[in-house]
Amino acid sequence: MPPDWQLRQPPEELTRRYVAAGSWNDETLGEILATGLTDGAHLACKVRSRLHPYAGTIGEVADLARRVAGGLRDRGVEAGDLVAFQLPNWVEAAATFWATAFLGAVPVPIVHFYGLKEVGFILRQSGARVLVTADRFGHLDYLANLDTMRPDLPELELVAVVTDESVPTGLVPFTTLADGDAVHEPAPVDPSAPALVAYTSGTTADPKGVVHAHRTIGFEIRQLGAMQPPQGGPPMLVGAPVGHGIGMLAALLIPVYRRDPVHLIDVWDPATVLAAMLEDNVYSGAGATFFLTSLLDHPNFTDEHRALMRHVGLGGSSVPAAVTDRADAMGISIVRMYGSTEHPSITGSRHHEPRDKRLYTDGRPLPGVEIKLLDDDGKEVGAGQPGEIHSRGPDCFPGYTDPMLTRECFDADGWYATGDVGVRDDDGYLSIVDRKKDIIIRGGENVSALEVEELVLRLPGVAEVAVVAAPDPRLGEHACAFVRPVPGGEPPTLDAVRAYLDGAGLARQKWPEEVRGIEEFPRTPSGKIQKFALRDRLRQEEVEASS
């Protein structure tokens, strides 16, 4: 492990509590996967892809993973080494992740659509010894980018390439890597050691490397696995990138733990997803709200699809009540969950809980998890009062690859400052009301972007909306609403939005002073709208206008 990670350990009292409760045990990520892959070897593994489809069994992919583990071992990879991979949702991504875990090495998944800047930063900061990559995908030429980055990556020793063509000198074809003698037993490692590094995106200039230990990710797998719909229903088709925490859990970890089939698609296209649902008897639409609404809005959506989507869990971004109301009216049982890459499952609901709690809150703290809400002075607030959410629990990460970030977000008692603002009701259910940085300060008064978005989304013809702070010479900031209309529609006018908000009883000072149409939002890999990019656009326009 790089010496400057400076990972923290929870206070001794918390550690004793987690061990005594069975939240933490000595099972490593490699052991969890090895057992699940053996037990579920007969289950289907299918990749929907125009370029690189696959149909086989989990056992066949596990065999590939064991051979890849042998190829990596033969090239000097051992426990604790960092193995990065940048691959679309292909079978080689699963094999690489599982192979790395078998060796006790540390997987570093990289989102497949990251470009030169993000990938170079991740490889430099993580200090990865190995990179497994495709040659190209979509508009990205991975190998050309690698040529540019390679002089600044002295620790990168081995690059394996998934390709049907010959590889440049010095690189190894993935098929050659898979020629190794199979590794059958997972390597013994310290359960408190790093198990994986997942890079977040979307809110800062550079990605943040989130380090999870075997104990924290192991508990998360068990925790989130227990929250999934009952077994026996249709399996999930995963469109979120496996290079991101949500896709990684949903496709590479939870199904293996639960002994469920694995279904992946490498490009999110609603028409293709809807066709796959009927052909393979799978459901989709879970995760960020975009994945659900893009299916519900598509003209090919039918009652047959709705019947497959009996249980859907939403999270990873704000979940507007307009979306949950719509799904509920269609007979789709919705639960909401709240977490992050750092602390993946903080709160959530189950499908048997009261309708209002499932649809309009983000659930209660999950077993072993604690939360507290603090005001700007660091004092805990009561029910009905907004405050920044601080959390701790057995699945909370031990730190970032950047030790300064670790010091900034943890206190001495092990509480993690999430940066999210929430409100708890009298029954202990939490509702996320905003990100601290998304609060619009208009003339000294705080305006919740989420509150405005919830209402604007109910306007006819509005598919998605993001309200952000725009520079204002008089007030400091004002609200600007970016609106994506439904296909074939037009965004509402400013007058129409204001008239609707007036009728809804929203205070005038919270009304947007701009409404802008947008064809597609900039997004994080999990589907969340990148509000910082919208704010940057508005600030740049102001600079250009004043120059």
Side-chain angles (χ1 to χ4, degrees):
M1 180 183 72
D4 59 350
W5 280 6
Q6 298 176 17
L7 301 181
R8 51 166 288 283
Q9 295 297 322
E12 288 186 11
E13 182 273 329
L14 276 184
T15 298
R16 287 195 298 269
R17 188 195 310 174
Y18 297 158
V19 172
S23 302
W24 277 357
N25 58 40
D26 291 339
E27 194 174 25
T28 66
L29 181 59
E31 291 168 338
I32 293 171
L33 289 170
T35 302
L37 291 170
T38 298
D39 292 347
H42 62 287
L43 297 169
C45 180
K46 186 169 184 177
V47 174
R48 288 271 177 170
S49 170
R50 184 177 61 84
L51 298 174
H52 206 65
Y54 178 83
T57 66
I58 287 178
E60 290 166 343
V61 183
D63 288 342
L64 173 63
R66 293 185 179 96
R67 296 197 305 274
V68 171
L72 291 171
R73 181 187 56 191
D74 292 345
R75 290 162 176 82
V77 177
E78 56 188 26
D81 287 340
L82 279 82
V83 177
F85 66 91
Q86 185 182 24
L87 294 167
N89 287 6
W90 293 348
V91 70
E92 290 85 359
T96 301
F97 186 96
W98 296 341
T100 305
F102 290 160
L103 294 175
V106 183
V108 185
I110 302 175
V111 175
H112 66 278
F113 55 73
Y114 278 3
L116 184 68
K117 179 178 182 296
E118 296 99 335
V119 177
F121 176 85
I122 291 170
L123 293 175
R124 284 193 304 274
Q125 199 211 42
S126 67
R129 285 188 57 197
V130 178
L131 171 65
V132 180
T133 182
D135 52 1
R136 63 183 61 84
F137 187 75
H139 70 281
L140 287 175
D141 187 330
Y142 297 144
L143 296 187
N145 286 347
L146 181 63
D147 284 342
T148 303
M149 295 183 291
R150 198 67 186 267
D152 296 325
L153 302 173
E155 294 176 326
L156 184 62
E157 300 172 6
L158 171 66
V159 177
V161 185
V162 177
T163 181
D164 294 327
E165 303 173 6
S166 60
V167 302
T169 302
L171 309 185
V172 176
F174 185 85
T175 51
T176 300
L177 194 65
D179 284 341
D181 293 332
V183 171
H184 293 286
E185 296 297 327
V189 292
D190 182 348
S192 66
L196 66 92
V197 179
Y199 275 83
T200 69
S201 66
T203 57
T204 58
D206 291 315
K208 294 185 291 185
V210 177
V211 184
H212 271 282
H214 292 271
R215 280 175 164 169
T216 63
I217 196 62
F219 180 80
E220 170 58 21
I221 292 169
R222 296 190 295 274
Q223 175 88 290
L224 190 56
M227 297 294 291
Q228 301 304 299
Q231 287 184 299
M236 181 167 65
L237 174 63
V238 178
V242 297
H244 185 269
I246 290 178
M248 176 185 66
L249 281 163
L252 305 184
L253 294 175
I254 302 299
V256 176
Y257 171 74
R258 282 172 48 94
R259 284 52 163 179
D260 288 334
V262 172
H263 287 264
L264 288 165
I265 188 166
D266 63 352
V267 175
W268 183 261
D269 174 68
T272 304
V273 172
L274 291 170
M277 288 172 63
L278 300 184
E279 181 177 333
D280 294 332
N281 195 45
V282 297
Y283 84 97
S284 199
T289 53
F290 167 74
F291 291 108
L292 175 63
T293 57
S294 67
L295 298 181
L296 301 184
D297 290 337
H298 198 276
N300 293 354
F301 185 82
T302 68
D303 283 344
E304 290 181 88
H305 297 100
R306 180 189 55 77
L308 289 167
M309 298 164 66
R310 293 190 298 270
H311 302 93
V312 173
L314 297 179
S317 66
S318 62
V319 184
V323 173
T324 57
D325 282 343
R326 179 184 180 188
D328 183 67
M330 299 172 72
I332 301 172
S333 177
I334 295 292
V335 293
R336 291 166 48 169
M337 298 193 68
Y338 163 63
S340 62
T341 305
E342 291 89 341
H343 194 169
S345 295
I346 298 176
T347 63
S349 295
R350 298 177 184 269
H351 290 279
H352 66 264
E353 293 187 57
R355 174 183 178 276
D356 285 357
K357 303 298 188 183
R358 289 190 295 104
L359 298 188
Y360 307 130
T361 80
D362 296 290
R364 288 185 290 192
L366 297 178
V369 175
E370 302 170 86
I371 63 171
K372 62 180 180 180
L373 276 58
L374 304 182
D375 63 18
D376 290 340
D377 296 323
K379 297 179 180 178
E380 195 161 355
V381 301
Q385 298 298 312
E388 182 184 4
I389 302 162
H390 290 63
S391 68
R392 62 184 186 183
D395 57 334
C396 191
F397 76 129
Y400 294 104
T401 52
D402 182 342
M404 182 180 70
L405 294 176
T406 304
R407 290 191 294 269
E408 288 176 352
C409 71
F410 282 105
D411 70 11
D413 296 320
W415 290 98
Y416 163 61
T418 67
D420 293 311
V421 179
V423 174
R424 267 191 293 193
D425 66 17
D426 291 332
D427 298 317
Y429 284 83
L430 178 73
S431 296
I432 310 304
V433 297
D434 240 318
R435 287 286 292 173
K436 286 186 73 173
K437 64 171 110 4
D438 287 343
I439 297 291
I440 300 161
I441 306 175
R442 181 187 184 276
E445 182 169 352
N446 289 355
V447 177
S448 167
L450 186 58
E451 180 184 16
V452 182
E453 291 165 356
E454 286 271 9
L455 292 171
V456 175
L457 192 58
R458 293 184 180 274
L459 273 166
V462 174
E464 276 186 298
V465 60
V467 175
V468 300
D472 190 297
R474 182 173 64 89
L475 299 168
E477 294 179 345
H478 67 249
C480 174
F482 285 86
V483 176
R484 181 175 70 83
V486 296
E490 295 290 333
T493 65
L494 178 61
D495 287 343
V497 169
R498 289 184 156 188
Y500 183 81
L501 296 179
D502 188 21
L506 187 70
R508 182 180 295 268
Q509 62 268 26
K510 298 181 180 180
W511 297 357
E513 272 131 294
E514 294 181 69
V515 173
R516 299 188 178 208
I518 189 169
E519 290 187 5
E520 186 51 75
F521 283 107
R523 299 184 188 276
T524 68
S526 65
K528 186 185 304 182
I529 295 172
Q530 292 179 312
K531 287 191 171 183
F532 80 92
L534 301 177
R535 288 191 290 263
D536 288 348
R537 180 190 305 184
L538 295 172
R539 284 194 289 265
Q540 183 60 35
E541 289 180 5
E542 184 191 39
V543 170
E544 292 173 355
S546 60
S547 61

